Amino acid sequence: MSRPQSVSNEQLLKAAMTQFWQFGYQGSGMQDLQQATGLPASSIYSRFGSKAGLFEATLEMYVDKIVRGRCDKYLGADKGLLGIQQYAVSALEDPNSHWGCLLVNSQAQISALPAASHSAMRRGGELVCEALNKAIVKAEEMAEIRPGQNAKLLAEQLAVFIQGLLVQSGLAEVRPSPDKVAAMIAQQLGAKNSC
């Protein structure tokens, strides 16, 4: 039985996000999406135009809710080095960490994705790099890290490092401990008290 049309797009996108997050774009057929959302294919097409349209809307919501939410929580205002470390560690401690990151997972399949979805992935990456950049600048102002570094380049380096952590997140046997992640970040940033 299908869900009533009164179900909000946000509720439907959350259900689709779970499906895409676990199984990817290619691994999610229309039957899977119908089951996940509770809507018949005709309703999905009516609301989103296509599977690609649903995926694009899902990525946009993921960036706005999940990525921005984590950036605001850990990298906002005056968090500095501790915020950066907590941001990276939180990626491994998230209840859904065994799925990895929807953006990182999607980037791994980029050649199979609809071209319109690339802008959401790019926007998510830019959002993370901007937030990391601000936190690095704050850590430098707080004299937590070595001064005079290229904060923008360090932010991009950390973003790539965190993407690697997210790829490993599904493999508990190779995932580094939170303490080790924090130490690696401290070393990358030239923290004054790093080992």
Side-chain angles (χ1 to χ4, degrees), residues 49-122:
S50 63
K51 174 184 161 182
L54 176 61
F55 182 69
E56 292 158 29
T58 299
L59 279 180
E60 291 291 341
M61 186 176 94
Y62 184 85
V63 169
D64 291 335
K65 301 281 184 183
I66 307 292
V67 175
R68 184 179 303 281
R70 288 187 63 245
C71 286
D72 290 347
K73 180 176 181 177
Y74 297 106
L75 301 173
D78 55 356
K79 302 283 183 165
L81 177 61
L82 181 60
I84 296 167
Q85 291 167 318
Q86 289 174 336
Y87 175 81
V89 168
S90 74
L92 298 176
E93 295 178 339
D94 184 276
N96 299 324
S97 67
H98 57 286
W99 297 339
C101 167
L102 180 58
L103 291 180
V104 173
N105 297 350
S106 298
Q107 289 170 355
Q109 320 174 354
I110 196 140
S111 63
L113 299 181
S117 66
H118 297 185
S119 64
M121 288 185 283
R122 190 171 31 258

Side-chain angles (χ1 to χ4, degrees), residues 22-193:
Q22 289 181 76
F23 302 103
Y25 181 77
Q26 287 183 297
S28 299
M30 280 309 291
Q31 283 188 328
D32 302 313
L33 292 165
Q34 288 175 45
Q35 187 172 7
T37 63
L39 284 178
S42 60
S43 293
I44 293 172
Y45 290 131
S46 171
R47 288 187 185 205
F48 301 102
S50 63
K51 174 184 161 182
L54 176 61
F55 182 69
E56 292 158 29
T58 299
L59 279 180
E60 291 291 341
M61 186 176 94
Y62 184 85
V63 169
D64 291 335
K65 301 281 184 183
I66 307 292
V67 175
R68 184 179 303 281
R70 288 187 63 245
C71 286
D72 290 347
K73 180 176 181 177
Y74 297 106
L75 301 173
D78 55 356
K79 302 283 183 165
L81 177 61
L82 181 60
I84 296 167
Q85 291 167 318
Q86 289 174 336
Y87 175 81
V89 168
S90 74
L92 298 176
E93 295 178 339
D94 184 276
N96 299 324
S97 67
H98 57 286
W99 297 339
C101 167
L102 180 58
L103 291 180
V104 173
N105 297 350
S106 298
Q107 289 170 355
Q109 320 174 354
I110 196 140
S111 63
L113 299 181
S117 66
H118 297 185
S119 64
M121 288 185 283
R122 190 171 31 258
R123 188 169 67 85
E126 289 168 356
L127 179 70
V128 169
C129 284
E130 285 175 26
L132 284 168
N133 186 13
K134 288 178 184 175
I136 290 167
V137 168
K138 186 62 179 177
E140 190 173 299
E141 288 171 2
M142 295 168 69
E144 295 176 322
I145 63 173
R146 187 174 61 245
Q149 300 182 79
N150 183 334
K152 185 174 187 230
L153 189 61
L154 278 173
E156 291 173 7
Q157 179 184 348
L158 278 176
V160 170
F161 169 74
I162 293 166
Q163 285 178 348
L165 285 176
L166 289 164
V167 169
Q168 286 189 328
S169 64
L171 304 168
E173 61 275 5
V174 296
R175 183 182 343 171
S177 70
D179 290 341
K180 188 171 185 179
V181 170
M184 288 189 279
I185 288 173
Q187 185 171 342
Q188 283 180 321
L189 295 176
K192 298 197 172 184
N193 295 327

